[in-house]
mmCIF file of all heavy atoms in Angstrom:
data_model
loop_
_atom_site.group_PDB
_atom_site.id
_atom_site.type_symbol
_atom_site.label_atom_id
_atom_site.label_comp_id
_atom_site.label_asym_id
_atom_site.label_seq_id
_atom_site.Cartn_x
_atom_site.Cartn_y
_atom_site.Cartn_z
ATOM 1 N N ASP A 1 -33.597 154.627 219.580
ATOM 2 C CA ASP A 1 -33.151 156.016 219.516
ATOM 3 C C ASP A 1 -31.761 156.153 220.128
ATOM 4 O O ASP A 1 -31.449 155.524 221.146
ATOM 5 C CB ASP A 1 -34.124 156.931 220.258
ATOM 6 C CG ASP A 1 -35.275 157.379 219.382
ATOM 7 O OD1 ASP A 1 -35.493 156.729 218.353
ATOM 8 O OD2 ASP A 1 -35.938 158.367 219.737
ATOM 9 N N THR A 2 -30.939 156.985 219.539
ATOM 10 C CA THR A 2 -29.584 157.210 220.036
ATOM 11 C C THR A 2 -29.608 158.246 221.143
ATOM 12 O O THR A 2 -30.220 159.309 221.017
ATOM 13 C CB THR A 2 -28.667 157.679 218.904
ATOM 14 O OG1 THR A 2 -28.556 156.636 217.931
ATOM 15 C CG2 THR A 2 -27.279 158.015 219.430
ATOM 16 N N ILE A 3 -28.950 157.926 222.233
ATOM 17 C CA ILE A 3 -28.799 158.846 223.356
ATOM 18 C C ILE A 3 -27.325 159.204 223.457
ATOM 19 O O ILE A 3 -26.458 158.325 223.469
ATOM 20 C CB ILE A 3 -29.292 158.199 224.660
ATOM 21 C CG1 ILE A 3 -30.776 157.865 224.548
ATOM 22 C CG2 ILE A 3 -29.044 159.117 225.853
ATOM 23 C CD1 ILE A 3 -31.304 157.023 225.680
ATOM 24 N N THR A 4 -27.040 160.482 223.515
ATOM 25 C CA THR A 4 -25.664 160.950 223.596
ATOM 26 C C THR A 4 -25.371 161.398 225.023
ATOM 27 O O THR A 4 -26.043 162.281 225.561
ATOM 28 C CB THR A 4 -25.416 162.106 222.621
ATOM 29 O OG1 THR A 4 -25.696 161.662 221.290
ATOM 30 C CG2 THR A 4 -23.971 162.577 222.699
ATOM 31 N N SER A 5 -24.392 160.772 225.649
ATOM 32 C CA SER A 5 -23.966 161.157 226.988
ATOM 33 C C SER A 5 -22.600 161.823 226.899
ATOM 34 O O SER A 5 -22.081 162.079 225.800
ATOM 35 C CB SER A 5 -23.909 159.925 227.897
ATOM 36 O OG SER A 5 -22.890 159.035 227.465
ATOM 37 N N GLU A 6 -21.993 162.094 228.036
ATOM 38 C CA GLU A 6 -20.724 162.806 228.032
ATOM 39 C C GLU A 6 -19.618 162.014 227.335
ATOM 40 O O GLU A 6 -18.734 162.598 226.703
ATOM 41 C CB GLU A 6 -20.292 163.121 229.468
ATOM 42 C CG GLU A 6 -21.165 164.153 230.162
ATOM 43 C CD GLU A 6 -20.750 164.376 231.603
ATOM 44 O OE1 GLU A 6 -19.730 163.787 232.031
ATOM 45 O OE2 GLU A 6 -21.430 165.145 232.308
ATOM 46 N N GLN A 7 -19.664 160.687 227.472
ATOM 47 C CA GLN A 7 -18.553 159.885 226.969
ATOM 48 C C GLN A 7 -18.959 158.803 225.972
ATOM 49 O O GLN A 7 -18.084 158.137 225.419
ATOM 50 C CB GLN A 7 -17.803 159.240 228.149
ATOM 51 C CG GLN A 7 -17.112 160.242 229.064
ATOM 52 C CD GLN A 7 -16.262 159.549 230.114
ATOM 53 O OE1 GLN A 7 -16.342 158.344 230.302
ATOM 54 N NE2 GLN A 7 -15.458 160.324 230.811
ATOM 55 N N ALA A 8 -20.223 158.585 225.777
ATOM 56 C CA ALA A 8 -20.635 157.488 224.903
ATOM 57 C C ALA A 8 -22.000 157.788 224.310
ATOM 58 O O ALA A 8 -22.780 158.580 224.850
ATOM 59 C CB ALA A 8 -20.679 156.173 225.681
ATOM 60 N N THR A 9 -22.292 157.151 223.189
ATOM 61 C CA THR A 9 -23.638 157.159 222.630
ATOM 62 C C THR A 9 -24.191 155.745 222.728
ATOM 63 O O THR A 9 -23.474 154.760 222.553
ATOM 64 C CB THR A 9 -23.645 157.623 221.175
ATOM 65 O OG1 THR A 9 -22.796 156.770 220.403
ATOM 66 C CG2 THR A 9 -23.164 159.059 221.055
ATOM 67 N N PHE A 10 -25.474 155.640 223.044
ATOM 68 C CA PHE A 10 -26.061 154.326 223.285
ATOM 69 C C PHE A 10 -27.543 154.350 222.981
ATOM 70 O O PHE A 10 -28.147 155.398 222.757
ATOM 71 C CB PHE A 10 -25.815 153.893 224.739
ATOM 72 C CG PHE A 10 -26.416 154.799 225.775
ATOM 73 C CD1 PHE A 10 -27.717 154.606 226.244
ATOM 74 C CD2 PHE A 10 -25.682 155.863 226.314
ATOM 75 C CE1 PHE A 10 -28.273 155.429 227.207
ATOM 76 C CE2 PHE A 10 -26.223 156.695 227.279
ATOM 77 C CZ PHE A 10 -27.521 156.480 227.725
ATOM 78 N N ARG A 11 -28.133 153.157 223.008
ATOM 79 C CA ARG A 11 -29.573 153.027 222.902
ATOM 80 C C ARG A 11 -30.054 152.100 224.013
ATOM 81 O O ARG A 11 -29.271 151.316 224.553
ATOM 82 C CB ARG A 11 -29.972 152.465 221.539
ATOM 83 C CG ARG A 11 -29.524 151.051 221.268
ATOM 84 C CD ARG A 11 -29.974 150.572 219.885
ATOM 85 N NE ARG A 11 -29.647 149.164 219.679
ATOM 86 C CZ ARG A 11 -28.501 148.725 219.172
ATOM 87 N NH1 ARG A 11 -27.560 149.594 218.826
ATOM 88 N NH2 ARG A 11 -28.288 147.434 219.009
ATOM 89 N N VAL A 12 -31.326 152.206 224.344
ATOM 90 C CA VAL A 12 -31.942 151.363 225.373
ATOM 91 C C VAL A 12 -32.845 150.355 224.703
ATOM 92 O O VAL A 12 -33.685 150.721 223.860
ATOM 93 C CB VAL A 12 -32.729 152.206 226.392
ATOM 94 C CG1 VAL A 12 -33.436 151.304 227.401
ATOM 95 C CG2 VAL A 12 -31.808 153.175 227.112
ATOM 96 N N GLU A 13 -32.682 149.082 225.051
ATOM 97 C CA GLU A 13 -33.484 148.015 224.462
ATOM 98 C C GLU A 13 -34.249 147.281 225.565
ATOM 99 O O GLU A 13 -33.678 146.977 226.612
ATOM 100 C CB GLU A 13 -32.582 147.015 223.739
ATOM 101 C CG GLU A 13 -31.757 147.635 222.626
ATOM 102 C CD GLU A 13 -30.742 146.666 222.045
ATOM 103 O OE1 GLU A 13 -30.430 145.649 222.709
ATOM 104 O OE2 GLU A 13 -30.252 146.930 220.938
ATOM 105 N N LEU A 14 -35.521 147.026 225.326
ATOM 106 C CA LEU A 14 -36.310 146.218 226.238
ATOM 107 C C LEU A 14 -36.026 144.750 225.973
ATOM 108 O O LEU A 14 -36.229 144.259 224.861
ATOM 109 C CB LEU A 14 -37.798 146.504 226.066
ATOM 110 C CG LEU A 14 -38.751 145.639 226.909
ATOM 111 C CD1 LEU A 14 -38.579 145.935 228.393
ATOM 112 C CD2 LEU A 14 -40.203 145.866 226.479
ATOM 113 N N VAL A 15 -35.570 144.038 226.993
ATOM 114 C CA VAL A 15 -35.344 142.599 226.877
ATOM 115 C C VAL A 15 -36.640 141.846 227.159
ATOM 116 O O VAL A 15 -37.068 140.996 226.400
ATOM 117 C CB VAL A 15 -34.227 142.133 227.825
ATOM 118 C CG1 VAL A 15 -34.010 140.620 227.717
ATOM 119 C CG2 VAL A 15 -32.932 142.882 227.530
ATOM 120 N N THR A 16 -37.266 142.180 228.285
ATOM 121 C CA THR A 16 -38.552 141.571 228.623
ATOM 122 C C THR A 16 -39.267 142.443 229.640
ATOM 123 O O THR A 16 -38.634 143.148 230.432
ATOM 124 C CB THR A 16 -38.387 140.150 229.184
ATOM 125 O OG1 THR A 16 -39.690 139.551 229.350
ATOM 126 C CG2 THR A 16 -37.686 140.143 230.523
ATOM 127 N N ASP A 17 -40.580 142.412 229.613
ATOM 128 C CA ASP A 17 -41.370 143.028 230.669
ATOM 129 C C ASP A 17 -42.107 141.917 231.403
ATOM 130 O O ASP A 17 -41.743 140.746 231.311
ATOM 131 C CB ASP A 17 -42.305 144.101 230.120
ATOM 132 C CG ASP A 17 -43.192 143.591 228.986
ATOM 133 O OD1 ASP A 17 -43.245 142.361 228.780
ATOM 134 O OD2 ASP A 17 -43.837 144.419 228.322
ATOM 135 N N GLY A 18 -43.158 142.270 232.146
ATOM 136 C CA GLY A 18 -43.941 141.252 232.838
ATOM 137 C C GLY A 18 -43.330 140.766 234.134
ATOM 138 O O GLY A 18 -43.725 139.714 234.651
ATOM 139 N N LEU A 19 -42.388 141.526 234.700
ATOM 140 C CA LEU A 19 -41.775 141.176 235.983
ATOM 141 C C LEU A 19 -42.446 141.984 237.093
ATOM 142 O O LEU A 19 -42.584 143.208 236.982
ATOM 143 C CB LEU A 19 -40.279 141.478 235.956
ATOM 144 C CG LEU A 19 -39.453 140.642 234.976
ATOM 145 C CD1 LEU A 19 -38.110 141.306 234.718
ATOM 146 C CD2 LEU A 19 -39.252 139.233 235.535
ATOM 147 N N GLU A 20 -42.862 141.319 238.154
ATOM 148 C CA GLU A 20 -43.576 141.992 239.238
ATOM 149 C C GLU A 20 -42.591 142.420 240.326
ATOM 150 O O GLU A 20 -42.070 141.607 241.074
ATOM 151 C CB GLU A 20 -44.637 141.071 239.840
ATOM 152 C CG GLU A 20 -45.495 141.773 240.890
ATOM 153 C CD GLU A 20 -46.619 140.887 241.392
ATOM 154 O OE1 GLU A 20 -46.902 139.851 240.760
ATOM 155 O OE2 GLU A 20 -47.218 141.239 242.433
ATOM 156 N N PHE A 21 -42.321 143.720 240.384
ATOM 157 C CA PHE A 21 -41.371 144.298 241.332
ATOM 158 C C PHE A 21 -40.069 143.485 241.384
ATOM 159 O O PHE A 21 -39.700 142.938 242.420
ATOM 160 C CB PHE A 21 -41.980 144.412 242.726
ATOM 161 C CG PHE A 21 -43.093 145.419 242.822
ATOM 162 C CD1 PHE A 21 -44.399 145.011 243.020
ATOM 163 C CD2 PHE A 21 -42.836 146.776 242.693
ATOM 164 C CE1 PHE A 21 -45.434 145.938 243.096
ATOM 165 C CE2 PHE A 21 -43.853 147.715 242.770
ATOM 166 C CZ PHE A 21 -45.156 147.292 242.973
ATOM 167 N N PRO A 22 -39.353 143.406 240.274
ATOM 168 C CA PRO A 22 -38.068 142.686 240.303
ATOM 169 C C PRO A 22 -37.074 143.406 241.199
ATOM 170 O O PRO A 22 -37.098 144.636 241.325
ATOM 171 C CB PRO A 22 -37.631 142.707 238.837
ATOM 172 C CG PRO A 22 -38.284 143.924 238.260
ATOM 173 C CD PRO A 22 -39.604 144.026 238.960
ATOM 174 N N TRP A 23 -36.152 142.636 241.819
ATOM 175 C CA TRP A 23 -35.233 143.221 242.796
ATOM 176 C C TRP A 23 -33.762 142.959 242.463
ATOM 177 O O TRP A 23 -32.932 143.834 242.575
ATOM 178 C CB TRP A 23 -35.555 142.676 244.187
ATOM 179 C CG TRP A 23 -35.231 143.617 245.299
ATOM 180 C CD1 TRP A 23 -36.078 144.532 245.881
ATOM 181 C CD2 TRP A 23 -33.982 143.747 245.991
ATOM 182 N NE1 TRP A 23 -35.427 145.222 246.890
ATOM 183 C CE2 TRP A 23 -34.149 144.753 246.978
ATOM 184 C CE3 TRP A 23 -32.749 143.124 245.885
ATOM 185 C CZ2 TRP A 23 -33.120 145.149 247.839
ATOM 186 C CZ3 TRP A 23 -31.721 143.508 246.742
ATOM 187 C CH2 TRP A 23 -31.908 144.510 247.707
ATOM 188 N N GLY A 24 -33.425 141.739 242.090
ATOM 189 C CA GLY A 24 -32.026 141.416 241.831
ATOM 190 C C GLY A 24 -31.898 140.501 240.628
ATOM 191 O O GLY A 24 -32.861 139.853 240.202
ATOM 192 N N MET A 25 -30.685 140.437 240.074
ATOM 193 C CA MET A 25 -30.450 139.571 238.912
ATOM 194 C C MET A 25 -29.033 139.029 238.955
ATOM 195 O O MET A 25 -28.129 139.631 239.539
ATOM 196 C CB MET A 25 -30.700 140.324 237.604
ATOM 197 C CG MET A 25 -29.913 141.601 237.435
ATOM 198 S SD MET A 25 -30.293 142.419 235.851
ATOM 199 C CE MET A 25 -29.877 144.131 236.260
ATOM 200 N N ALA A 26 -28.861 137.881 238.324
ATOM 201 C CA ALA A 26 -27.548 137.242 238.226
ATOM 202 C C ALA A 26 -27.476 136.505 236.900
ATOM 203 O O ALA A 26 -28.467 135.919 236.442
ATOM 204 C CB ALA A 26 -27.324 136.282 239.387
ATOM 205 N N PHE A 27 -26.305 136.522 236.297
ATOM 206 C CA PHE A 27 -26.094 135.850 235.019
ATOM 207 C C PHE A 27 -25.531 134.454 235.243
ATOM 208 O O PHE A 27 -24.618 134.256 236.054
ATOM 209 C CB PHE A 27 -25.121 136.645 234.149
ATOM 210 C CG PHE A 27 -25.694 137.928 233.627
ATOM 211 C CD1 PHE A 27 -25.577 139.100 234.352
ATOM 212 C CD2 PHE A 27 -26.368 137.958 232.419
ATOM 213 C CE1 PHE A 27 -26.110 140.291 233.879
ATOM 214 C CE2 PHE A 27 -26.913 139.140 231.936
ATOM 215 C CZ PHE A 27 -26.781 140.313 232.672
ATOM 216 N N LEU A 28 -26.078 133.490 234.521
ATOM 217 C CA LEU A 28 -25.569 132.132 234.531
ATOM 218 C C LEU A 28 -24.461 131.989 233.483
ATOM 219 O O LEU A 28 -24.373 132.804 232.553
ATOM 220 C CB LEU A 28 -26.702 131.149 234.254
ATOM 221 C CG LEU A 28 -27.854 131.180 235.266
ATOM 222 C CD1 LEU A 28 -28.977 130.251 234.819
ATOM 223 C CD2 LEU A 28 -27.371 130.824 236.659
ATOM 224 N N PRO A 29 -23.615 130.980 233.603
ATOM 225 C CA PRO A 29 -22.502 130.844 232.657
ATOM 226 C C PRO A 29 -22.919 130.756 231.192
ATOM 227 O O PRO A 29 -22.156 131.151 230.304
ATOM 228 C CB PRO A 29 -21.819 129.545 233.118
ATOM 229 C CG PRO A 29 -22.142 129.445 234.573
ATOM 230 C CD PRO A 29 -23.529 129.991 234.693
ATOM 231 N N ASP A 30 -24.127 130.252 230.929
ATOM 232 C CA ASP A 30 -24.569 130.125 229.538
ATOM 233 C C ASP A 30 -25.227 131.391 229.004
ATOM 234 O O ASP A 30 -25.737 131.404 227.874
ATOM 235 C CB ASP A 30 -25.517 128.939 229.381
ATOM 236 C CG ASP A 30 -26.799 129.085 230.213
ATOM 237 O OD1 ASP A 30 -26.971 130.135 230.878
ATOM 238 O OD2 ASP A 30 -27.613 128.145 230.211
ATOM 239 N N GLY A 31 -25.236 132.470 229.809
ATOM 240 C CA GLY A 31 -25.833 133.726 229.385
ATOM 241 C C GLY A 31 -27.264 133.912 229.810
ATOM 242 O O GLY A 31 -27.815 135.017 229.674
ATOM 243 N N ASP A 32 -27.926 132.857 230.302
ATOM 244 C CA ASP A 32 -29.265 133.017 230.866
ATOM 245 C C ASP A 32 -29.187 133.859 232.143
ATOM 246 O O ASP A 32 -28.105 134.057 232.710
ATOM 247 C CB ASP A 32 -29.887 131.659 231.182
ATOM 248 C CG ASP A 32 -30.273 130.893 229.929
ATOM 249 O OD1 ASP A 32 -30.215 131.475 228.829
ATOM 250 O OD2 ASP A 32 -30.614 129.697 230.045
ATOM 251 N N MET A 33 -30.348 134.314 232.612
ATOM 252 C CA MET A 33 -30.390 135.183 233.786
ATOM 253 C C MET A 33 -31.399 134.664 234.802
ATOM 254 O O MET A 33 -32.451 134.135 234.436
ATOM 255 C CB MET A 33 -30.793 136.606 233.387
ATOM 256 C CG MET A 33 -29.848 137.310 232.469
ATOM 257 S SD MET A 33 -30.480 138.946 232.029
ATOM 258 C CE MET A 33 -30.432 139.767 233.620
ATOM 259 N N LEU A 34 -31.061 134.868 236.065
ATOM 260 C CA LEU A 34 -31.997 134.673 237.164
ATOM 261 C C LEU A 34 -32.419 136.050 237.677
ATOM 262 O O LEU A 34 -31.575 136.925 237.869
ATOM 263 C CB LEU A 34 -31.359 133.873 238.299
ATOM 264 C CG LEU A 34 -30.905 132.453 237.958
ATOM 265 C CD1 LEU A 34 -30.201 131.832 239.162
ATOM 266 C CD2 LEU A 34 -32.082 131.593 237.517
ATOM 267 N N ILE A 35 -33.711 136.223 237.899
ATOM 268 C CA ILE A 35 -34.250 137.489 238.396
ATOM 269 C C ILE A 35 -35.201 137.189 239.545
ATOM 270 O O ILE A 35 -36.055 136.302 239.445
ATOM 271 C CB ILE A 35 -34.987 138.268 237.286
ATOM 272 C CG1 ILE A 35 -34.007 138.659 236.171
ATOM 273 C CG2 ILE A 35 -35.673 139.508 237.852
ATOM 274 C CD1 ILE A 35 -34.667 139.370 235.009
ATOM 275 N N THR A 36 -35.054 137.918 240.643
ATOM 276 C CA THR A 36 -35.977 137.775 241.765
ATOM 277 C C THR A 36 -37.131 138.753 241.632
ATOM 278 O O THR A 36 -36.961 139.875 241.148
ATOM 279 C CB THR A 36 -35.275 138.050 243.105
ATOM 280 O OG1 THR A 36 -34.701 139.378 243.093
ATOM 281 C CG2 THR A 36 -34.179 137.029 243.366
ATOM 282 N N GLU A 37 -38.309 138.310 242.036
ATOM 283 C CA GLU A 37 -39.460 139.183 242.201
ATOM 284 C C GLU A 37 -39.773 139.252 243.693
ATOM 285 O O GLU A 37 -39.801 138.226 244.373
ATOM 286 C CB GLU A 37 -40.669 138.653 241.437
ATOM 287 C CG GLU A 37 -40.481 138.690 239.922
ATOM 288 C CD GLU A 37 -41.676 138.101 239.190
ATOM 289 O OE1 GLU A 37 -42.164 137.033 239.610
ATOM 290 O OE2 GLU A 37 -42.119 138.711 238.207
ATOM 291 N N ARG A 38 -40.006 140.466 244.174
ATOM 292 C CA ARG A 38 -40.083 140.674 245.618
ATOM 293 C C ARG A 38 -41.165 139.829 246.288
ATOM 294 O O ARG A 38 -41.041 139.453 247.464
ATOM 295 C CB ARG A 38 -40.292 142.159 245.918
ATOM 296 C CG ARG A 38 -39.996 142.527 247.362
ATOM 297 C CD ARG A 38 -39.815 144.017 247.548
ATOM 298 N NE ARG A 38 -40.939 144.781 247.065
ATOM 299 C CZ ARG A 38 -40.832 145.777 246.190
ATOM 300 N NH1 ARG A 38 -39.668 146.092 245.679
ATOM 301 N NH2 ARG A 38 -41.901 146.463 245.823
ATOM 302 N N ASP A 39 -42.211 139.485 245.573
ATOM 303 C CA ASP A 39 -43.301 138.738 246.181
ATOM 304 C C ASP A 39 -42.947 137.280 246.439
ATOM 305 O O ASP A 39 -43.710 136.563 247.077
ATOM 306 C CB ASP A 39 -44.552 138.830 245.292
ATOM 307 C CG ASP A 39 -45.829 138.701 246.100
ATOM 308 O OD1 ASP A 39 -45.849 139.167 247.251
ATOM 309 O OD2 ASP A 39 -46.802 138.133 245.582
ATOM 310 N N GLY A 40 -41.801 136.807 245.924
ATOM 311 C CA GLY A 40 -41.364 135.459 246.271
ATOM 312 C C GLY A 40 -41.071 134.535 245.118
ATOM 313 O O GLY A 40 -40.943 133.331 245.316
ATOM 314 N N ARG A 41 -40.959 135.076 243.905
ATOM 315 C CA ARG A 41 -40.699 134.234 242.742
ATOM 316 C C ARG A 41 -39.286 134.457 242.208
ATOM 317 O O ARG A 41 -38.794 135.588 242.192
ATOM 318 C CB ARG A 41 -41.710 134.514 241.628
ATOM 319 C CG ARG A 41 -43.122 134.018 241.920
ATOM 320 C CD ARG A 41 -44.099 134.480 240.852
ATOM 321 N NE ARG A 41 -44.235 135.929 240.884
ATOM 322 C CZ ARG A 41 -45.092 136.585 241.657
ATOM 323 N NH1 ARG A 41 -45.886 135.910 242.471
ATOM 324 N NH2 ARG A 41 -45.162 137.891 241.634
#
């Protein structure tokens, strides 16, 4: 669905679910991502 804001129109896409209380993320040079889960993963 298109969302219209003050300066741009955009849509929201789900990349993945199944993360337990994720806290932080970082991108690797190849485009992969690291994501922390608060419980220790």
